[in-house]
Amino acid sequence: MKSEINRRSVRERFAPHHLALAGIIGIGAALRLWDLDRTSLWYDEAVSWSQSSGSLGELIALVAADNYPPLHNLLLWLTMPIIGDSETALRLPSAIAGILSIWLVYKLGRLVFTRNTGLLAAAILAISPFHIWYSTEARVYALFAMTGLAFLIALVRTLQGGRLLWPILAAAFGALFLYSHIYAAFSMAGIGALLLFWQVRSIREQRFGQQDVITRAFAAFCAACILFLPWMMILATRARDVVNNGFWIAYPNWPFIKIMMRDMAGSEALFLALVAATLLLLIPTHKPSAKTDVDRRAAALLAAFAIAPVFIAYGLSITLRPILFDRYLIAAWPLLILLASAGACRFLPKLGPIALLAAVVLLTIQPLRFTLLQKIRPEWREISSIYLAERKTTDALYLYKGFSAPALDYYLHGKIAFQPLAKAEDLSEDSLRSAVWLLFAHASHSEMTELRDQLPFRFKETGRWRSFGWGESGLTLLRLEAEGDD
């Protein structure tokens, strides 16, 4: 009897779907862990490093003055003393979160829809260039997506009448989700509105069996929000500052929306294909072959989670200040993939998954190759190494614009002093030496020319190095010497 149970356990462990999932996760892990330090840290990543390098109190104070919650910084604060602060070490937590997201989207797909749906969604997410890129960045985004998936699994389990442990986990993961990124509040708003609607309806219709599980789910949701309330008060102050002073994101007109679709899916065609596959869930069917074990209530939760941040952020962008941006929607991205996979599996159970996966692979090959081999970040590592190799100990270094100081400080290892420079008037003759280095970060050619021409006495350019930026606003390093100096 015991040997039979062991044989059955071995067969289950090596079942085709387990082997397929292991292969998918293996591919996803390889794509996220390979060459993690191929690009240098850029400004935002350096800010994460800088804010997480001091004491816990300093971390909280610095993040409270910024525009996002502290969960990712706390994770770096815990891991840096153990694995260091190299580029690879700083990005490793994000890579692990990205890999776990592949497994979690499978678990969620199997829980709400079918096993094949979960496998298809996991396969698409594993090779998603958008998800891979932000799983290789020392920022919050991969962690944000992972905690969202974990929260949804626990919440769905609660709605399905699971053990008391599930609402507790839903509250905990919901709080972690909220402490990951401000956009989590938008997804939670969609979830909360739906749960409240179901709660009111179950009370009015006296569906006491449903009311019990909905009450548990709603209580878990409320507990997560209460746990986040202290930081929400901090973010409210920051939100007022954004509304009053503006933000760097462009207005979400149609060209901007198309760029977002292309950045998230790799192409507009694939994004629209995923949306079309999702809409297949809305088509009623009475064919026995199309019957699935869909939990419609759970599927509605997934849709609310994915759709709410898009509409809320767009509404705020056109009424107050633009805040809609592709990477802020990364928690919604696995849900769109999952819903599209469910639509394909429901409408054409045999051919639908094959067709969708084939379309994804075909349309993803080139964006994936670009992401893995060519896509780069501002090369602070390269520009800093040039300065370190060419400078003399008596040379002065000025950084324009000063907000980029954490990136330069990271690559100068905090050992070489430099001065942030806001305007040319800050360069007095007393402060200038015979040789001056000017590093322009995200400054246009006209800004560079204007500032150089306003130096208090004549300098001649004796060296120029340019490294990658965005558009005209690259990283440009100039070495200037006073005319007549030997």
Side-chain angles (χ1 to χ4, degrees), residues 130 197 220 261 274 281 289 316 361 381 425 428:
F130 177 65
F197 170 75
M261 291 192 295
L274 292 172
L281 287 173
S289 60
L316 292 174
V361 171
R381 178 172 58 197
E425 289 76 11
S428 65

Side-chain angles (χ1 to χ4, degrees), residues 90-113:
L90 290 173
R91 289 168 175 164
L92 187 59
S94 293
I96 293 173
I99 296 165
L100 287 174
S101 294
I102 300 169
W103 176 69
L104 289 172
V105 82
Y106 163 76
K107 299 292 287 186
L108 185 60
R110 181 174 180 176
L111 181 64
V112 178
F113 301 104

